[in-house]
Amino acid sequence: MGPERQHIVSSYDRELEGIQAMVMRMGGLVEVALSEATTALKTRDLELAEKVRKGDRVVDELNQAIKADAARLLALRAPAAVDLRTVLSVMEISSYLERCGDYAKNIAKRTMAMAGSNEIEGAMSGLVRMAKFVEAMVKDALDAYIQRDQEKAEEIIERDLEADQIYNTLFRSLLTHMMEDPRNIAAGMHLHFIAKNIERVGDHATGIAEQTIYLVSGVLPDDDRPKQDRTLTTLQEGDV
Amino acid sequence: MGPERQHIVSSYDRELEGIQAMVMRMGGLVEVALSEATTALKTRDLELAEKVRKGDRVVDELNQAIKADAARLLALRAPAAVDLRTVLSVMEISSYLERCGDYAKNIAKRTMAMAGSNEIEGAMSGLVRMAKFVEAMVKDALDAYIQRDQEKAEEIIERDLEADQIYNTLFRSLLTHMMEDPRNIAAGMHLHFIAKNIERVGDHATGIAEQTIYLVSGVLPDDDRPKQDRTLTTLQEGDV
């Protein structure tokens, strides 16, 4: 390897590291946004909700910057094999994180929209529990990616089953509250959508985990989104 | 240009055309899936719903094949400028279509889940109208892409505002039905989620249109997802 080639390679590595650093920063921001959105929902803190809503712009900008840098890297360096997979997986993970950010923003907006409505006793604790659960999934999915840990990534995909079960329980409980007292219907609808948003964050953590498996093994796991289905299957068999 | 280079260029073009042909086939399948999901919902045709549910596998497989071929093209051909943008936009459009397919499948599954529940008079016509509206958006977004028609793409982004208005009206109407008669609550919840799914298809048609603008102009439109927000803002000011 001549000095010229050496130069190109290390410059490539530096650029790739730069993009991965942006993804990690984005991941950190999304983790905080999810956590703060949950706190704002739980404590009805409209100021915090507004902060989350506004903060999503930075996540969106990071996503755009990551996509632009990745496209530039693909164009100028033409990476192959694992290097190519790294760039492609970074782009996918950036998309997943951007959508997680959207969900956090959405939860914040619904918190604001619910400001005047009924409080539904008992529903909130389930929501908060589910939110904490998927927050940890996102965090661990990013850790698995950084560590290129396929086993850890597979374990996250398994955990999404539990997230779906929590969602199902929540769905039924909210429905019961709404049926018992029509004054709960408006708030119940918002909480339902919040629950669905949280459940989708879990799906996206799974998507990030799948990218780690793709990066390490070169193969994307077969069943891309099994989770939505299970939720609905349970509903079908359930009491709705 | 020597014959060797000529050979490479036309082979590259052929590969790119092959990928774009797959995206168009995927688009056709998704259009049919959305249309059939709507028909199944409207006529309570469980057999058709099951057909839609099963058919999504082909869409998922096409998405995987497109991503794999695009990755191979990036690795082997290292396209630059508009060629690179073409490959990147094809990958993004494939993701959008895959999710539209998921929404169609989801509508089909909810149709099955609702088989035994109350019919809500008057809600269905609004849902079907909205579904037709966003189906046309998807179709036109793909046409705009094929024709590299930036103006047409911008017009689709505008149309999404109308889709959001239809969704808002629907949301309020369903809420009213649920409040008037608790027996409507379970069916109302499902119809709400279906309405939300349809609204999201409109968002994804907008995403496809944005990719056309990116492909033609090299710049992705600034505001990535303005629609969700407007829906929620209206809710806030509304009667919920």
Side-chain angles (χ1 to χ4, degrees):
Chain A
M1 192 185 283
E4 182 61 23
R5 168 97 181 117
Q6 182 93 50
H7 172 72
I8 288 172
V9 168
S10 54
S11 165
Y12 165 81
D13 283 346
R14 213 161 46 234
E15 284 170 39
L16 192 56
E17 269 168 31
I19 297 176
Q20 293 198 78
M22 278 200 283
V23 172
M24 287 307 123
R25 193 176 151 230
M26 198 176 164
L29 290 175
V30 167
E31 278 174 45
V32 171
L34 286 169
S35 166
E36 290 187 339
T38 309
T39 303
L41 172 70
K42 191 177 159 191
T43 60
R44 296 198 160 211
D45 184 339
L46 300 189
E47 218 168 297
L48 188 58
E50 174 62 14
K51 187 195 159 207
V52 173
R53 191 191 66 76
K54 272 195 190 147
D56 191 48
R57 173 162 283 275
V58 184
V59 173
D60 286 347
E61 283 166 1
L62 272 170
N63 178 43
Q64 302 262 347
I66 288 162
K67 295 289 173 67
D69 282 9
R72 203 174 303 123
L73 197 71
L74 289 173
L76 299 178
R77 308 290 181 192
V82 71
D83 286 342
L84 175 64
R85 289 207 302 275
T86 306
V87 180
L88 293 175
S89 67
V90 156
M91 292 173 84
E92 292 279 338
I93 290 173
S94 179
S95 289
Y96 283 126
L97 287 175
E98 190 263 340
R99 275 180 267 147
C100 287
D102 278 349
Y103 290 126
K105 182 173 75 173
N106 226 279
I107 292 168
K109 296 194 132 197
R110 285 205 187 268
T111 297
M112 296 190 254
M114 284 171 66
S117 63
N118 250 21
E119 219 163 323
I120 303 184
E121 282 291 324
M124 197 55 82
S125 63
L127 261 184
V128 171
R129 186 176 149 236
M130 186 174 165
K132 298 275 171 225
F133 190 88
V134 301
E135 261 170 64
M137 282 175 71
V138 172
K139 190 189 165 300
D140 293 345
L142 290 171
D143 286 347
Y145 176 77
I146 284 295
Q147 296 156 11
R148 309 290 194 258
D149 187 337
Q150 183 168 353
E151 207 172 310
K152 195 168 183 174
E154 279 162 358
E155 182 240 338
I156 285 155
I157 297 174
E158 281 305 308
R159 266 153 75 185
D160 198 36
L161 284 168
E162 195 172 337
D164 290 343
Q165 275 163 3
I166 305 177
Y167 169 72
N168 272 321
T169 308
L170 215 55
F171 184 99
R172 295 215 185 103
S173 141
L174 282 170
L175 212 56
T176 308
H177 285 296
M178 289 160 82
M179 285 174 169
E180 277 171 6
D181 187 345
R183 283 170 302 175
N184 288 332
I185 289 176
M189 283 301 306
H190 282 299
L191 293 177
H192 264 300
F193 275 116
I194 289 173
K196 190 72 192 167
N197 281 345
I198 296 170
E199 189 256 346
R200 293 293 290 152
V201 172
D203 288 348
H204 287 14
T206 301
I208 294 171
E210 286 172 344
Q211 287 300 318
T212 300
I213 296 171
Y214 165 68
L215 178 58
V216 175
S217 71
V219 182
L220 203 59
D222 190 31
D223 197 1
D224 212 335
R225 277 151 218 255
K227 310 113 269 151
Q228 297 186 331
D229 305 11
R230 279 194 295 268
T231 320
L232 270 171
T233 313
T234 321
L235 268 182
Q236 253 174 281
E237 293 161 3
D239 48 9
V240 180
Chain B
M1 192 185 280
E4 183 59 24
R5 169 95 179 118
Q6 181 94 50
H7 172 72
I8 289 172
V9 169
S10 54
S11 164
Y12 166 80
D13 283 347
R14 212 163 45 236
E15 284 171 39
L16 192 55
E17 269 167 32
I19 297 176
Q20 293 199 76
M22 277 200 283
V23 173
M24 288 308 124
R25 194 178 150 227
M26 198 176 164
L29 289 175
V30 168
E31 278 174 45
V32 171
L34 286 169
S35 166
E36 289 186 342
T38 309
T39 303
L41 172 70
K42 191 177 157 190
T43 60
R44 299 198 157 209
D45 184 338
L46 300 189
E47 216 167 299
L48 188 58
E50 174 64 15
K51 186 194 160 208
V52 172
R53 192 192 66 76
K54 271 195 191 150
D56 191 49
R57 173 162 282 277
V58 183
V59 173
D60 286 348
E61 283 166 1
L62 272 170
N63 177 44
Q64 303 258 352
I66 288 163
K67 295 289 172 66
D69 282 9
R72 204 173 303 124
L73 196 69
L74 288 172
L76 298 178
R77 307 289 180 191
V82 70
D83 286 343
L84 176 63
R85 290 209 300 276
T86 306
V87 180
L88 293 175
S89 66
V90 155
M91 292 172 84
E92 291 280 338
I93 290 173
S94 179
S95 288
Y96 282 126
L97 286 175
E98 190 263 340
R99 276 180 268 148
C100 287
D102 279 349
Y103 290 126
K105 182 172 74 174
N106 226 278
I107 292 168
K109 296 194 133 198
R110 287 208 186 266
T111 297
M112 295 190 254
M114 285 170 66
S117 63
N118 251 20
E119 219 163 321
I120 303 183
E121 283 290 325
M124 198 53 85
S125 63
L127 261 185
V128 171
R129 188 177 146 233
M130 186 174 165
K132 297 278 171 222
F133 191 87
V134 302
E135 259 171 64
M137 282 176 69
V138 172
K139 190 190 165 299
D140 292 346
L142 291 171
D143 285 348
Y145 176 77
I146 285 295
Q147 295 155 13
R148 309 290 195 256
D149 187 337
Q150 185 168 353
E151 207 173 308
K152 195 169 183 173
E154 280 161 359
E155 182 240 339
I156 285 158
I157 297 175
E158 281 305 307
R159 267 153 74 185
D160 197 36
L161 284 169
E162 195 173 334
D164 290 342
Q165 275 162 5
I166 304 177
Y167 169 71
N168 271 322
T169 308
L170 214 57
F171 184 99
R172 295 213 186 105
S173 140
L174 282 169
L175 212 55
T176 308
H177 285 297
M178 289 160 81
M179 285 172 171
E180 277 171 7
D181 187 347
R183 282 170 302 175
N184 287 332
I185 288 176
M189 284 302 306
H190 281 299
L191 293 177
H192 264 301
F193 275 117
I194 289 173
K196 190 71 192 164
N197 280 345
I198 296 171
E199 190 257 345
R200 294 293 290 153
V201 172
D203 288 349
H204 288 13
T206 300
I208 295 171
E210 286 172 344
Q211 287 300 318
T212 299
I213 296 170
Y214 165 68
L215 178 57
V216 175
S217 71
V219 182
L220 204 59
D222 190 31
D223 198 1
D224 212 335
R225 278 150 216 253
K227 307 114 270 147
Q228 297 187 330
D229 306 11
R230 279 194 295 269
T231 320
L232 269 173
T233 314
T234 321
L235 268 182
Q236 252 175 284
E237 294 158 5
D239 46 10
V240 179

